[in-house]
Amino acid sequence: MQEYLQDNETVLWQGEPAAFPLIENGNKTRVLRTWLLTVVIIGGLLAAYVTKNSQWSMNVAIGMVVIGAVIMISPVFERASVKRQKYYITNQRAILEFDAKTFYSMDLSDIDDYKVVSDVANEDSVVLGSKIFEEVNKQLRWRACHPMIDRQNTTNRTRAEALVFYGVKNAEAAVELLEGRDATRAA
């Protein structure tokens, strides 16, 4: 983390996701629906392919099963990805660190709004950037794995337009820093 900090930048707060199960109350419906629809759709496509084609290919059938399996294990990958994240608020930026030392950041001045989401994960999540407020209750964990970046900005692919600090035990301290930033900007 130290090598990622800019000149005169100091970490004021840090956090990480609290332990959480694969299926939490807030994403239970989404995960179960994904699994059920995948089985129904892939099963239906596979049954239709095999029954309608007398010369069906085993490779096509295996391909369909593999696609279904990848879709079904995506919640497991999301959970594993989020569990390895670390979050920081410095005197200049909000930073999300992935396990492979990949960083996404937002300048504090670029955070137009923030929101605490308390009904999806077991702990409060802090959403930075209003661009994802509408989708966040349906896709909080997915959005935690996929920060919103400006795809037009080819020079800095790690500058985020919105971030999610997922299921953080000490979210209140992060919010206090963000509120302090708002008070400083208003003064």
mmCIF file of all heavy atoms in Angstrom, residues 17-53:
data_model
loop_
_atom_site.group_PDB
_atom_site.id
_atom_site.type_symbol
_atom_site.label_atom_id
_atom_site.label_comp_id
_atom_site.label_asym_id
_atom_site.label_seq_id
_atom_site.Cartn_x
_atom_site.Cartn_y
_atom_site.Cartn_z
ATOM 1 N N PRO A 17 -13.748 -6.309 4.554
ATOM 2 C CA PRO A 17 -15.052 -6.939 4.767
ATOM 3 C C PRO A 17 -15.036 -7.849 5.991
ATOM 4 O O PRO A 17 -14.067 -8.578 6.222
ATOM 5 C CB PRO A 17 -15.267 -7.770 3.499
ATOM 6 C CG PRO A 17 -14.341 -7.202 2.489
ATOM 7 C CD PRO A 17 -13.176 -6.660 3.260
ATOM 8 N N ALA A 18 -16.086 -7.767 6.769
ATOM 9 C CA ALA A 18 -16.265 -8.713 7.866
ATOM 10 C C ALA A 18 -16.616 -10.071 7.259
ATOM 11 O O ALA A 18 -17.043 -10.147 6.101
ATOM 12 C CB ALA A 18 -17.381 -8.235 8.788
ATOM 13 N N ALA A 19 -16.436 -11.131 8.006
ATOM 14 C CA ALA A 19 -16.785 -12.466 7.509
ATOM 15 C C ALA A 19 -18.271 -12.492 7.138
ATOM 16 O O ALA A 19 -19.104 -11.911 7.834
ATOM 17 C CB ALA A 19 -16.495 -13.507 8.575
ATOM 18 N N PHE A 20 -18.573 -13.137 6.024
ATOM 19 C CA PHE A 20 -19.966 -13.217 5.591
ATOM 20 C C PHE A 20 -20.183 -14.527 4.843
ATOM 21 O O PHE A 20 -19.269 -15.064 4.232
ATOM 22 C CB PHE A 20 -20.355 -12.014 4.720
ATOM 23 C CG PHE A 20 -19.551 -11.870 3.454
ATOM 24 C CD1 PHE A 20 -19.989 -12.437 2.267
ATOM 25 C CD2 PHE A 20 -18.360 -11.156 3.446
ATOM 26 C CE1 PHE A 20 -19.253 -12.297 1.097
ATOM 27 C CE2 PHE A 20 -17.616 -11.013 2.288
ATOM 28 C CZ PHE A 20 -18.071 -11.584 1.107
ATOM 29 N N PRO A 21 -21.411 -15.054 4.897
ATOM 30 C CA PRO A 21 -21.705 -16.313 4.200
ATOM 31 C C PRO A 21 -21.902 -16.094 2.704
ATOM 32 O O PRO A 21 -22.091 -14.961 2.247
ATOM 33 C CB PRO A 21 -23.018 -16.772 4.855
ATOM 34 C CG PRO A 21 -23.667 -15.505 5.297
ATOM 35 C CD PRO A 21 -22.543 -14.570 5.685
ATOM 36 N N LEU A 22 -21.887 -17.164 1.966
ATOM 37 C CA LEU A 22 -22.106 -17.091 0.522
ATOM 38 C C LEU A 22 -23.475 -16.492 0.216
ATOM 39 O O LEU A 22 -23.612 -15.640 -0.645
ATOM 40 C CB LEU A 22 -21.985 -18.483 -0.112
ATOM 41 C CG LEU A 22 -22.307 -18.577 -1.601
ATOM 42 C CD1 LEU A 22 -21.322 -17.738 -2.413
ATOM 43 C CD2 LEU A 22 -22.280 -20.021 -2.062
ATOM 44 N N ILE A 23 -24.471 -16.947 0.938
ATOM 45 C CA ILE A 23 -25.827 -16.450 0.709
ATOM 46 C C ILE A 23 -26.256 -15.661 1.940
ATOM 47 O O ILE A 23 -26.544 -16.227 2.985
ATOM 48 C CB ILE A 23 -26.804 -17.615 0.435
ATOM 49 C CG1 ILE A 23 -26.364 -18.397 -0.796
ATOM 50 C CG2 ILE A 23 -28.220 -17.091 0.274
ATOM 51 C CD1 ILE A 23 -27.213 -19.604 -1.103
ATOM 52 N N GLU A 24 -26.292 -14.337 1.777
ATOM 53 C CA GLU A 24 -26.762 -13.446 2.831
ATOM 54 C C GLU A 24 -28.206 -13.076 2.537
ATOM 55 O O GLU A 24 -28.688 -13.256 1.421
ATOM 56 C CB GLU A 24 -25.921 -12.166 2.865
ATOM 57 C CG GLU A 24 -24.481 -12.404 3.231
ATOM 58 C CD GLU A 24 -23.659 -11.137 3.093
ATOM 59 O OE1 GLU A 24 -23.369 -10.742 1.950
ATOM 60 O OE2 GLU A 24 -23.306 -10.567 4.127
ATOM 61 N N ASN A 25 -28.867 -12.506 3.514
ATOM 62 C CA ASN A 25 -30.270 -12.118 3.320
ATOM 63 C C ASN A 25 -30.460 -11.222 2.111
ATOM 64 O O ASN A 25 -31.391 -11.388 1.341
ATOM 65 C CB ASN A 25 -30.808 -11.424 4.572
ATOM 66 C CG ASN A 25 -30.980 -12.396 5.708
ATOM 67 O OD1 ASN A 25 -31.117 -13.586 5.497
ATOM 68 N ND2 ASN A 25 -30.960 -11.885 6.924
ATOM 69 N N GLY A 26 -29.584 -10.259 1.925
ATOM 70 C CA GLY A 26 -29.736 -9.289 0.855
ATOM 71 C C GLY A 26 -29.488 -9.828 -0.539
ATOM 72 O O GLY A 26 -29.960 -9.258 -1.516
ATOM 73 N N ASN A 27 -28.751 -10.919 -0.654
ATOM 74 C CA ASN A 27 -28.489 -11.454 -2.007
ATOM 75 C C ASN A 27 -29.031 -12.869 -2.177
ATOM 76 O O ASN A 27 -28.794 -13.494 -3.195
ATOM 77 C CB ASN A 27 -26.993 -11.394 -2.332
ATOM 78 C CG ASN A 27 -26.183 -12.413 -1.578
ATOM 79 O OD1 ASN A 27 -26.650 -13.027 -0.633
ATOM 80 N ND2 ASN A 27 -24.949 -12.584 -1.985
ATOM 81 N N LYS A 28 -29.756 -13.347 -1.200
ATOM 82 C CA LYS A 28 -30.300 -14.709 -1.240
ATOM 83 C C LYS A 28 -31.161 -14.934 -2.484
ATOM 84 O O LYS A 28 -30.969 -15.902 -3.217
ATOM 85 C CB LYS A 28 -31.116 -14.959 0.021
ATOM 86 C CG LYS A 28 -31.654 -16.345 0.167
ATOM 87 C CD LYS A 28 -32.430 -16.449 1.461
ATOM 88 C CE LYS A 28 -32.444 -17.854 1.965
ATOM 89 N NZ LYS A 28 -33.043 -17.948 3.293
ATOM 90 N N THR A 29 -32.091 -14.037 -2.742
ATOM 91 C CA THR A 29 -32.987 -14.189 -3.882
ATOM 92 C C THR A 29 -32.213 -14.179 -5.187
ATOM 93 O O THR A 29 -32.473 -14.997 -6.081
ATOM 94 C CB THR A 29 -34.038 -13.058 -3.882
ATOM 95 O OG1 THR A 29 -34.722 -13.092 -2.631
ATOM 96 C CG2 THR A 29 -35.024 -13.221 -5.008
ATOM 97 N N ARG A 30 -31.256 -13.251 -5.312
ATOM 98 C CA ARG A 30 -30.486 -13.152 -6.556
ATOM 99 C C ARG A 30 -29.688 -14.422 -6.820
ATOM 100 O O ARG A 30 -29.677 -14.948 -7.933
ATOM 101 C CB ARG A 30 -29.551 -11.939 -6.499
ATOM 102 C CG ARG A 30 -28.781 -11.710 -7.792
ATOM 103 C CD ARG A 30 -27.843 -10.521 -7.699
ATOM 104 N NE ARG A 30 -26.775 -10.700 -6.742
ATOM 105 C CZ ARG A 30 -25.607 -11.278 -7.021
ATOM 106 N NH1 ARG A 30 -25.356 -11.729 -8.221
ATOM 107 N NH2 ARG A 30 -24.693 -11.402 -6.087
ATOM 108 N N VAL A 31 -29.010 -14.940 -5.806
ATOM 109 C CA VAL A 31 -28.184 -16.135 -5.986
ATOM 110 C C VAL A 31 -29.060 -17.349 -6.296
ATOM 111 O O VAL A 31 -28.782 -18.089 -7.251
ATOM 112 C CB VAL A 31 -27.304 -16.393 -4.740
ATOM 113 C CG1 VAL A 31 -26.625 -17.743 -4.822
ATOM 114 C CG2 VAL A 31 -26.275 -15.284 -4.566
ATOM 115 N N LEU A 32 -30.112 -17.541 -5.530
ATOM 116 C CA LEU A 32 -30.982 -18.693 -5.771
ATOM 117 C C LEU A 32 -31.671 -18.605 -7.129
ATOM 118 O O LEU A 32 -31.806 -19.607 -7.828
ATOM 119 C CB LEU A 32 -32.003 -18.830 -4.642
ATOM 120 C CG LEU A 32 -31.414 -19.164 -3.264
ATOM 121 C CD1 LEU A 32 -32.495 -19.185 -2.203
ATOM 122 C CD2 LEU A 32 -30.633 -20.469 -3.288
ATOM 123 N N ARG A 33 -32.076 -17.388 -7.537
ATOM 124 C CA ARG A 33 -32.691 -17.200 -8.847
ATOM 125 C C ARG A 33 -31.676 -17.513 -9.955
ATOM 126 O O ARG A 33 -32.016 -18.166 -10.947
ATOM 127 C CB ARG A 33 -33.226 -15.777 -8.983
ATOM 128 C CG ARG A 33 -33.927 -15.534 -10.307
ATOM 129 C CD ARG A 33 -34.516 -14.141 -10.429
ATOM 130 N NE ARG A 33 -33.537 -13.121 -10.121
ATOM 131 C CZ ARG A 33 -33.735 -12.120 -9.263
ATOM 132 N NH1 ARG A 33 -34.881 -12.008 -8.624
ATOM 133 N NH2 ARG A 33 -32.786 -11.234 -9.046
ATOM 134 N N THR A 34 -30.426 -17.056 -9.778
ATOM 135 C CA THR A 34 -29.382 -17.351 -10.768
ATOM 136 C C THR A 34 -29.192 -18.851 -10.913
ATOM 137 O O THR A 34 -29.130 -19.377 -12.034
ATOM 138 C CB THR A 34 -28.050 -16.688 -10.355
ATOM 139 O OG1 THR A 34 -28.230 -15.280 -10.331
ATOM 140 C CG2 THR A 34 -26.926 -17.055 -11.311
ATOM 141 N N TRP A 35 -29.105 -19.541 -9.803
ATOM 142 C CA TRP A 35 -28.903 -20.984 -9.856
ATOM 143 C C TRP A 35 -30.089 -21.691 -10.502
ATOM 144 O O TRP A 35 -29.918 -22.551 -11.368
ATOM 145 C CB TRP A 35 -28.658 -21.536 -8.466
ATOM 146 C CG TRP A 35 -27.315 -21.181 -7.895
ATOM 147 C CD1 TRP A 35 -26.246 -20.676 -8.571
ATOM 148 C CD2 TRP A 35 -26.910 -21.294 -6.542
ATOM 149 N NE1 TRP A 35 -25.186 -20.469 -7.718
ATOM 150 C CE2 TRP A 35 -25.568 -20.848 -6.456
ATOM 151 C CE3 TRP A 35 -27.526 -21.719 -5.376
ATOM 152 C CZ2 TRP A 35 -24.848 -20.817 -5.274
ATOM 153 C CZ3 TRP A 35 -26.806 -21.690 -4.182
ATOM 154 C CH2 TRP A 35 -25.481 -21.253 -4.143
ATOM 155 N N LEU A 36 -31.294 -21.335 -10.091
ATOM 156 C CA LEU A 36 -32.486 -21.984 -10.627
ATOM 157 C C LEU A 36 -32.645 -21.716 -12.126
ATOM 158 O O LEU A 36 -32.859 -22.653 -12.913
ATOM 159 C CB LEU A 36 -33.736 -21.509 -9.871
ATOM 160 C CG LEU A 36 -35.055 -22.103 -10.349
ATOM 161 C CD1 LEU A 36 -35.068 -23.614 -10.114
ATOM 162 C CD2 LEU A 36 -36.228 -21.439 -9.669
ATOM 163 N N LEU A 37 -32.518 -20.456 -12.532
ATOM 164 C CA LEU A 37 -32.656 -20.127 -13.951
ATOM 165 C C LEU A 37 -31.569 -20.781 -14.802
ATOM 166 O O LEU A 37 -31.839 -21.219 -15.925
ATOM 167 C CB LEU A 37 -32.641 -18.614 -14.153
ATOM 168 C CG LEU A 37 -33.905 -17.873 -13.721
ATOM 169 C CD1 LEU A 37 -33.715 -16.370 -13.835
ATOM 170 C CD2 LEU A 37 -35.109 -18.324 -14.529
ATOM 171 N N THR A 38 -30.378 -20.868 -14.266
ATOM 172 C CA THR A 38 -29.288 -21.510 -15.011
ATOM 173 C C THR A 38 -29.600 -22.977 -15.249
ATOM 174 O O THR A 38 -29.448 -23.482 -16.369
ATOM 175 C CB THR A 38 -27.948 -21.353 -14.269
ATOM 176 O OG1 THR A 38 -27.677 -19.962 -14.112
ATOM 177 C CG2 THR A 38 -26.813 -22.016 -15.022
ATOM 178 N N VAL A 39 -30.039 -23.670 -14.215
ATOM 179 C CA VAL A 39 -30.382 -25.091 -14.364
ATOM 180 C C VAL A 39 -31.524 -25.257 -15.368
ATOM 181 O O VAL A 39 -31.453 -26.105 -16.267
ATOM 182 C CB VAL A 39 -30.744 -25.717 -12.997
ATOM 183 C CG1 VAL A 39 -31.375 -27.090 -13.168
ATOM 184 C CG2 VAL A 39 -29.515 -25.803 -12.104
ATOM 185 N N VAL A 40 -32.547 -24.428 -15.243
ATOM 186 C CA VAL A 40 -33.716 -24.549 -16.127
ATOM 187 C C VAL A 40 -33.326 -24.224 -17.576
ATOM 188 O O VAL A 40 -33.650 -24.983 -18.503
ATOM 189 C CB VAL A 40 -34.863 -23.636 -15.636
ATOM 190 C CG1 VAL A 40 -35.972 -23.524 -16.675
ATOM 191 C CG2 VAL A 40 -35.420 -24.157 -14.317
ATOM 192 N N ILE A 41 -32.633 -23.114 -17.779
ATOM 193 C CA ILE A 41 -32.303 -22.688 -19.142
ATOM 194 C C ILE A 41 -31.284 -23.628 -19.793
ATOM 195 O O ILE A 41 -31.491 -24.093 -20.915
ATOM 196 C CB ILE A 41 -31.805 -21.226 -19.159
ATOM 197 C CG1 ILE A 41 -32.965 -20.290 -18.818
ATOM 198 C CG2 ILE A 41 -31.194 -20.864 -20.510
ATOM 199 C CD1 ILE A 41 -32.556 -18.854 -18.561
ATOM 200 N N ILE A 42 -30.189 -23.910 -19.102
ATOM 201 C CA ILE A 42 -29.175 -24.803 -19.678
ATOM 202 C C ILE A 42 -29.749 -26.208 -19.855
ATOM 203 O O ILE A 42 -29.525 -26.846 -20.886
ATOM 204 C CB ILE A 42 -27.882 -24.818 -18.825
ATOM 205 C CG1 ILE A 42 -27.228 -23.440 -18.808
ATOM 206 C CG2 ILE A 42 -26.916 -25.889 -19.316
ATOM 207 C CD1 ILE A 42 -26.723 -22.950 -20.159
ATOM 208 N N GLY A 43 -30.506 -26.669 -18.871
ATOM 209 C CA GLY A 43 -31.143 -27.989 -18.990
ATOM 210 C C GLY A 43 -32.098 -28.045 -20.162
ATOM 211 O O GLY A 43 -32.105 -29.012 -20.935
ATOM 212 N N GLY A 44 -32.896 -26.994 -20.328
ATOM 213 C CA GLY A 44 -33.844 -26.936 -21.457
ATOM 214 C C GLY A 44 -33.127 -26.880 -22.791
ATOM 215 O O GLY A 44 -33.506 -27.567 -23.740
ATOM 216 N N LEU A 45 -32.102 -26.026 -22.885
ATOM 217 C CA LEU A 45 -31.332 -25.937 -24.132
ATOM 218 C C LEU A 45 -30.649 -27.261 -24.452
ATOM 219 O O LEU A 45 -30.641 -27.701 -25.613
ATOM 220 C CB LEU A 45 -30.287 -24.824 -24.036
ATOM 221 C CG LEU A 45 -30.800 -23.393 -24.073
ATOM 222 C CD1 LEU A 45 -29.670 -22.408 -23.778
ATOM 223 C CD2 LEU A 45 -31.443 -23.094 -25.420
ATOM 224 N N LEU A 46 -30.085 -27.880 -23.447
ATOM 225 C CA LEU A 46 -29.403 -29.160 -23.644
ATOM 226 C C LEU A 46 -30.388 -30.241 -24.084
ATOM 227 O O LEU A 46 -30.125 -30.989 -25.040
ATOM 228 C CB LEU A 46 -28.677 -29.564 -22.353
ATOM 229 C CG LEU A 46 -27.738 -30.747 -22.420
ATOM 230 C CD1 LEU A 46 -26.659 -30.516 -23.471
ATOM 231 C CD2 LEU A 46 -27.108 -31.000 -21.063
ATOM 232 N N ALA A 47 -31.543 -30.301 -23.419
ATOM 233 C CA ALA A 47 -32.566 -31.295 -23.789
ATOM 234 C C ALA A 47 -33.072 -31.043 -25.212
ATOM 235 O O ALA A 47 -33.218 -31.990 -25.999
ATOM 236 C CB ALA A 47 -33.718 -31.255 -22.789
ATOM 237 N N ALA A 48 -33.315 -29.779 -25.537
ATOM 238 C CA ALA A 48 -33.787 -29.458 -26.894
ATOM 239 C C ALA A 48 -32.724 -29.802 -27.930
ATOM 240 O O ALA A 48 -33.043 -30.358 -28.981
ATOM 241 C CB ALA A 48 -34.146 -27.970 -26.974
ATOM 242 N N TYR A 49 -31.476 -29.508 -27.635
ATOM 243 C CA TYR A 49 -30.394 -29.792 -28.587
ATOM 244 C C TYR A 49 -30.269 -31.292 -28.834
ATOM 245 O O TYR A 49 -30.167 -31.748 -29.977
ATOM 246 C CB TYR A 49 -29.072 -29.213 -28.059
ATOM 247 C CG TYR A 49 -27.886 -29.560 -28.920
ATOM 248 C CD1 TYR A 49 -27.713 -28.970 -30.169
ATOM 249 C CD2 TYR A 49 -26.949 -30.504 -28.499
ATOM 250 C CE1 TYR A 49 -26.632 -29.311 -30.972
ATOM 251 C CE2 TYR A 49 -25.862 -30.838 -29.292
ATOM 252 C CZ TYR A 49 -25.711 -30.240 -30.533
ATOM 253 O OH TYR A 49 -24.652 -30.570 -31.330
ATOM 254 N N VAL A 50 -30.273 -32.066 -27.769
ATOM 255 C CA VAL A 50 -30.086 -33.516 -27.899
ATOM 256 C C VAL A 50 -31.286 -34.160 -28.588
ATOM 257 O O VAL A 50 -31.118 -35.041 -29.442
ATOM 258 C CB VAL A 50 -29.825 -34.150 -26.505
ATOM 259 C CG1 VAL A 50 -29.873 -35.669 -26.563
ATOM 260 C CG2 VAL A 50 -28.498 -33.674 -25.952
ATOM 261 N N THR A 51 -32.496 -33.733 -28.255
ATOM 262 C CA THR A 51 -33.687 -34.364 -28.850
ATOM 263 C C THR A 51 -33.948 -33.918 -30.283
ATOM 264 O O THR A 51 -34.510 -34.681 -31.066
ATOM 265 C CB THR A 51 -34.941 -34.100 -28.000
ATOM 266 O OG1 THR A 51 -35.136 -32.692 -27.884
ATOM 267 C CG2 THR A 51 -34.808 -34.734 -26.635
ATOM 268 N N LYS A 52 -33.552 -32.726 -30.643
ATOM 269 C CA LYS A 52 -33.815 -32.205 -31.993
ATOM 270 C C LYS A 52 -32.717 -32.572 -32.998
ATOM 271 O O LYS A 52 -32.915 -32.431 -34.194
ATOM 272 C CB LYS A 52 -33.951 -30.674 -31.975
ATOM 273 C CG LYS A 52 -35.069 -30.161 -31.114
ATOM 274 C CD LYS A 52 -36.400 -30.377 -31.772
ATOM 275 C CE LYS A 52 -37.485 -29.760 -30.909
ATOM 276 N NZ LYS A 52 -38.787 -30.200 -31.237
ATOM 277 N N ASN A 53 -31.574 -32.997 -32.518
ATOM 278 C CA ASN A 53 -30.449 -33.317 -33.407
ATOM 279 C C ASN A 53 -30.066 -34.786 -33.243
ATOM 280 O O ASN A 53 -29.564 -35.182 -32.197
ATOM 281 C CB ASN A 53 -29.233 -32.444 -33.080
ATOM 282 C CG ASN A 53 -29.477 -30.988 -33.357
ATOM 283 O OD1 ASN A 53 -29.794 -30.625 -34.483
ATOM 284 N ND2 ASN A 53 -29.372 -30.163 -32.333
#
